[in-house]
Amino acid sequence: MAAGQAPLGAWYVTVPALAGVIWLVGRADGAKAAAWLGLFAGAGHFGLALNWIIEPFLVDPEQYGWMAPFAVVLMAFGLGLFWAAAAALARAFAAGRAAALPLALTLTAVEGLRGVVLTGFPWALIGHIWIDTPLAQLAAYGGPNGLTLLTTLAAALPVALGFGGAAVSVALLAATFGLGQWRLSQPDPAPRGVTLRLVQPNAAQALKWEPGPARITFDRLLAYTAARPAVDLVIWPETSVPYLLHPGEGAALAIAAAAQGVPVAAGVQRVDGTRGYNTLAVIGPGGAVTAQYDKHHLVPFGEYIPYGDAMADWFGLRAFAAQEGNGYSAGPGAKLLDLGDKLGKALPLICYEAVFPQDLAAAEGRADWILQITNDAWFGTLTGPFQHLAQARLRAIEQGLPLVRVANTGVSAVIDAHGRTVAEISLGQAAFHDAALPGALPPTPYARWGEVPVWLLLAGLAAGLIGVRRRMVA
């Protein structure tokens, strides 16, 4: 099943593999046995799809490398618990072929829940297998959970109904493909008429904060920024400035001098009292900060320790407290950055905030475009950066907005409102690229209503299955 995730995108492997899991769960000897099957199927899927989780521990392997196997196993089986619950519920409801369609619904439900439970982690969703195909356009109507429901139904129907179900499954996928092709064939919105410069310094994570390499990286960023001709906005990646931000002096002044009047949106670290923030700052003439956004959806255990502040307040244990500068503090929440009449309003996302569709809907008002800065050097070079890029493309489809992502080591890209990559700087390349900002589409159904239609559809299908089962029992 994991072969369907980026970069392979082998959906034609995932669908029959998922059908096999559904068939096995239906044959399980009771709900408990089904739960064990779901647990190990989920652990296998997540262990392979999320293999990049070992990469952060290998940045400093002598100190943290021993943790990598435990991280993979704990992550895989922790997420596998969601699938275990789905399998147990479906098998408790019915057995054999009759359990197939209930499992399609419960799998969709738990995949949706893991995007929000315990701050959420909606990575490697079942529905992500379609991102490189026209079927991904369904996300404009049903989001990622709509894609997951499509996939689980396509796999369950042949198990539940045999050859007739297989025919219905093919017809369902074909109809969604046709919808996607139709949507992609519509005229593209007019470009906004501005040019952006994506700056990718390609800084190795293990050397990023060493004084010598940090200075080399900063000088490279300045040189790329100063290159002519001038553009309308220069964008640097997450935490690209290796020094603390002090408006009007130091690094901010150097950035403004290199930009020669052009605003620079840069990933910086800033300190306010004892708290530190992972920030996107727009730096204008004289090193002034004209707009800023503090990341609010932080990575648990990576950027902060959950309940660290509470442990300090209640027990005096300050080693994990963000309020003492031990980790980042969360910003106040999603917001739009007003960059002026020409550049419009941008919705800023920092790193893995782009994997949460609900974060994009949390800002007040509608953006003209989405701006993601990230440091994918943590994710290695095999799967993580490409899966992160794929999810950014899905956000563009869901909202009908162009998305610009600038990464430290790649992949930096300009993505149009249909989720197509129209400009790119490849992984592991130090370069800058000037690109036009694509236009925005009208708000999509998903942008208007979010997950509500999919959850209502799930509820309706579940009610229908319950009604059928009652009639059969009677």
Side-chain angles (χ1 to χ4, degrees):
M1 286 187 62
Q5 302 294 322
L8 295 179
W11 58 266
Y12 44 85
V13 175
T14 299
V15 175
L18 177 56
V21 171
I22 292 171
W23 179 75
L24 286 170
V25 168
R27 295 179 69 247
D29 186 16
K32 183 177 179 180
W36 281 109
L37 278 167
L39 175 65
F40 277 88
H45 173 260
F46 294 116
L48 289 170
L50 303 177
N51 64 74
W52 54 264
I53 204 69
I54 68 171
E55 296 292 344
F57 301 96
L58 301 181
V59 171
D60 188 358
E62 293 183 359
Q63 185 170 358
Y64 300 110
W66 65 272
M67 299 181 184
F70 297 98
V72 173
V73 172
L74 289 174
M75 173 72 78
F77 279 93
L79 296 176
L81 289 171
F82 286 92
W83 287 24
L89 284 171
R91 181 59 186 82
F93 181 81
R97 288 187 171 190
L101 291 176
L103 183 53
L105 303 188
T106 57
L107 265 178
T108 301
V110 298
E111 286 285 86
L113 288 175
R114 75 176 175 89
V116 296
V117 171
L118 297 177
T119 79
F121 191 63
W123 202 296
L125 291 175
I126 293 172
H128 286 167
I129 66 172
W130 305 111
I131 293 175
D132 272 335
T133 75
L135 285 79
Q137 300 302 312
L138 180 65
Y141 304 90
N145 292 330
L147 290 173
T148 295
L149 180 59
L150 169 72
T151 314
T152 58
L153 287 175
L157 282 165
V159 178
L161 303 174
F163 287 111
V168 175
S169 176
V170 170
L172 181 64
L173 295 177
T176 308
F177 179 87
L179 171 68
Q181 288 286 59
W182 169 80
R183 197 165 184 273
L184 291 170
S185 70
Q186 300 304 299
D188 292 326
R192 188 163 183 88
V194 298
T195 302
L196 309 176
R197 175 166 296 167
L198 287 60
V199 178
Q200 182 170 293
N202 195 33
Q205 188 60 40
L207 302 174
K208 184 176 179 181
W209 305 112
E210 296 292 330
R215 182 71 216 191
I216 292 171
T217 298
F218 189 60
D219 288 342
R220 181 181 298 158
L221 288 161
L222 293 176
Y224 288 164
T225 299
R228 301 288 94 183
V231 293
D232 297 297
L233 178 68
V234 177
I235 307 169
W236 292 13
E238 178 190 16
T239 60
S240 53
V241 179
Y243 315 107
L244 288 177
L245 179 69
H246 298 290
E249 57 183 271
L253 204 56
I255 293 169
Q260 302 175 57
V262 175
V264 178
V268 302
Q269 296 179 99
R270 71 178 190 88
V271 171
D272 185 359
T274 58
R275 291 189 178 274
Y277 297 89
N278 186 350
T279 299
L280 186 156
V282 180
I283 300 169
V289 175
T290 60
Q292 71 180 27
Y293 163 74
D294 296 322
K295 184 178 182 182
H296 76 280
H297 202 143
L298 301 176
V299 182
F301 303 104
E303 293 181 308
Y304 78 107
I305 300 298
Y307 305 108
D309 286 350
M311 286 188 282
D313 294 337
W314 297 345
F315 308 112
L317 185 59
R318 303 185 182 281
F320 306 116
Q323 64 190 9
E324 301 291 334
N326 298 312
Y328 289 126
S329 292
K335 61 180 286 188
L336 302 185
L337 293 182
D338 191 343
L339 302 178
D341 292 339
K342 190 172 186 181
L343 287 164
K345 294 179 179 179
L347 175 64
L349 304 170
I350 298 179
C351 196
Y352 102 139
E353 286 181 325
V355 310
F356 298 97
Q358 65 268 28
D359 284 357
L360 279 72
E364 185 176 349
R366 177 166 168 82
D368 298 303
W369 57 293
I370 303 167
L371 170 59
Q372 181 201 11
I373 59 172
T374 185
N375 178 20
D376 286 1
W378 291 107
F379 299 157
T381 59
L382 184 62
T383 58
F386 303 103
Q387 292 174 5
H388 203 197
L389 169 66
Q391 291 174 82
R393 293 175 56 196
L394 198 59
R395 302 293 87 81
I397 296 170
E398 292 162 0
Q399 298 296 323
L401 294 174
L403 186 148
V404 178
R405 77 186 312 261
V406 179
N408 174 29
T409 58
V411 178
S412 299
V414 177
I415 300 162
D416 73 9
H418 286 107
R420 297 172 293 202
T421 300
V422 297
E424 179 179 299
I425 305 176
S426 300
L427 184 70
Q429 182 181 0
F432 71 88
H433 184 85
D434 295 345
L437 177 62
L441 292 168
T444 64
Y446 184 80
R448 294 180 184 276
W449 301 310
E451 303 290 346
V452 172
V454 172
W455 285 104
L456 288 176
L457 178 59
L458 275 175
L461 291 172
L465 288 176
I466 292 170
V468 170
R469 185 173 184 272
R470 285 177 175 173
R471 284 196 295 272
M472 293 177 65
V473 171

